[in-house]
């Protein structure tokens, strides 16, 4: 079962996809929001599907696919969380999670264009496992409680401008992470009960050429550890998105050129779906 949001930007409607068939969810909710998730929305949607209470969305294949969650209150990101990526960045593996933030308005659909900002010269791609919080989480007592707070998982693209992130900003990472459309998400939100987060293959390509190819088993800090850790420092709200870090194979390594006008980035995560973003010079 997958949850999606379909329709023009700002007018998306909730949908459920099962066995290749798309169903409307408007009988249950106006949107895939934090309130829907924390109110048992995924379980209610599954029950309605099993009971045959959902209507088929005719023509769904022609609709734009938006981000599978309505704008989250927060987008929390983890840096250098894959051992091989830390190594290619020339850094020692972190002993505690590196935390930074993206503006929530960076979240867009998995096929939307990504503008390259004026003055940008080092725009980079990063495929990441995205964690969507399902209930208010603060001072969680252990990793099991952390896993219980997760609604589901998404494919997330943490686009970065490395000069803005590192050099020009003096090391304030969020400055290189918050440009327009710098976080394509989706196509689907897959319920947590259907996903083993530490055993997923994730990959990316630029103009058809392989860039990243790894698995979440290379994470330094697991999903459970990250959610538990973050909850000790901030309140996680339903619908919040956590980007859990990217594997090796990015342009920052020096092995590949940065993105320029017209470049196409494709990426995906096993069981969560694929994206395709065209980068266009502002």
């Amino acid at each position: 079962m997958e949850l999606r949001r379909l329709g023009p930007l700002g007018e998306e409607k909730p949908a459920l996809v099962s066995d290749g068939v798309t169903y409307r969810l408007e009988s249950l909710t106006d949107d895939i929001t934090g309130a829907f998730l924390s109110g048992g929305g995924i379980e209610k949607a599954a029950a309605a599907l099993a009971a045959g209470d959902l209507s088929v969305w005719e023509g769904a294949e022609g609709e734009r696919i938006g981000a599978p969650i309505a704008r989250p209150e927060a987008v929390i990101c983890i840096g250098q969380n894959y051992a091989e990526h830390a190594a290619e960045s020339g850094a020692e593996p972190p002993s505690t999670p590196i935390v930074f933030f993206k503006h929530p308005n960076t979240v867009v659909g998995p096929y939307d264009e990504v503008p390259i900002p004026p003055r940008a010269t080092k725009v980079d791609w990063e495929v990441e496992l995205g964690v969507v919080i399902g209930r208010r989480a603060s001072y969680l007592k252990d990793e099991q409680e952390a896993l219980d707070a997760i609604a589901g998982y998404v494919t997330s693209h943490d686009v970065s401008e490395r000069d803005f992130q590192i050099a020009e900003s003096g090391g304030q990472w969020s400055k290189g992470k918050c440009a327009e459309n710098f976080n394509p998400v989706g196509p689907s939100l897959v319920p947590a009960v259907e996903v083993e987060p530490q055993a997923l293959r994730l990959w990316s390509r630029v103009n058809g050429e392989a860039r990243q190819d790894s698995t979440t088993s290379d994470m330094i800090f697991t999903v459970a550890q990250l959610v538990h850790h973050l909850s000790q420092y901030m309140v996680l709200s339903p619908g919040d998105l956590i980007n859990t870090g990217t594997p090796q194979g990015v342009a920052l390594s020096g092995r590949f050129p940065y993105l320029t006008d017209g470049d196409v980035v494709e990426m995906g995560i096993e069981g969560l779906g694929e994206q395709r973003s065209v980068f266009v010079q502002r």
Side-chain angles (χ1 to χ4, degrees):
M1 187 179 85
E2 306 172 14
L3 298 182
R4 293 189 177 184
R5 297 170 65 247
L6 306 180
L9 181 65
E11 302 176 17
E12 295 93 342
K13 301 297 182 184
L16 182 152
V17 180
S18 178
D19 294 328
V21 179
T22 302
Y23 300 88
R24 292 185 176 273
L25 273 184
E26 292 153 281
S27 60
L28 296 182
T29 183
D30 292 334
D31 210 342
I32 310 295
T33 61
F36 170 76
L37 297 174
S38 63
I42 290 177
E43 294 78 11
K44 292 175 183 177
L49 175 67
D53 294 337
L54 301 178
S55 60
V56 173
W57 190 324
E58 302 293 346
E61 62 277 1
E63 296 281 357
R64 169 186 170 271
I65 301 177
I69 49 173
R71 184 182 295 183
E73 290 185 16
V75 179
I76 307 149
C77 305
I78 307 300
Q80 297 178 358
N81 192 36
Y82 283 72
E84 291 186 9
H85 176 55
E88 76 172 350
S89 301
E92 291 294 322
S95 58
T96 189
I98 298 171
V99 181
F100 61 94
F101 297 90
K102 295 178 84 88
H103 196 298
N105 68 12
T106 59
V107 173
V108 292
Y111 305 107
D112 292 343
E113 285 187 348
V114 179
I116 296 175
R119 301 186 298 106
T121 59
K122 294 184 178 179
V123 176
D124 209 346
W125 59 88
E126 296 184 80
V127 60
E128 306 203 7
L129 174 63
V131 175
V132 178
I133 298 299
R135 64 174 179 83
R136 187 181 188 276
S138 179
Y139 304 115
L140 300 172
K141 64 182 181 181
D142 56 32
E143 292 177 17
Q144 184 56 55
E145 193 170 26
L147 290 174
D148 292 342
I150 298 171
Y153 298 91
V154 295
T155 301
S156 188
H157 186 178
D158 175 19
V159 184
S160 306
E161 209 298 338
R162 300 302 189 182
D163 262 351
F164 295 176
Q165 176 188 351
I166 301 168
E168 183 175 316
S169 72
Q172 299 178 67
W173 282 24
S174 290
K175 286 185 177 180
K177 301 285 187 170
C178 291
E180 182 181 4
N181 291 18
F182 259 31
N183 202 158
V185 176
S188 302
L189 169 64
V190 178
V193 295
E194 301 183 18
V195 179
E196 170 43 63
Q198 302 311 142
L200 300 173
R201 175 178 175 252
L202 63 174
W203 57 270
S204 65
R205 294 192 295 262
V206 176
N207 300 327
E209 296 181 359
R211 292 293 185 262
Q212 297 171 280
D213 193 346
S214 185
T215 71
T216 52
S217 63
D218 190 44
M219 279 185 178
I220 297 169
F221 304 102
T222 67
V223 167
Q225 290 170 333
L226 290 174
V227 174
H228 177 261
H229 177 82
L230 291 171
S231 79
Q232 309 307 307
Y233 298 93
M234 65 190 77
V235 176
L236 302 174
S237 298
D240 282 356
L241 173 65
I242 302 172
N243 289 332
T244 58
T246 199
Q248 61 86 25
V250 297
L252 182 64
S253 68
R255 293 188 290 131
F256 307 109
Y258 288 101
L259 298 171
T260 58
D261 185 44
D263 282 344
V264 178
V265 177
E266 299 167 288
M267 59 179 52
I269 300 179
E270 178 184 10
L272 303 184
E274 302 179 5
Q275 302 184 4
R276 183 181 187 275
S277 300
V278 179
F279 283 71
V280 180
Q281 184 65 55
R282 258 297 187 209

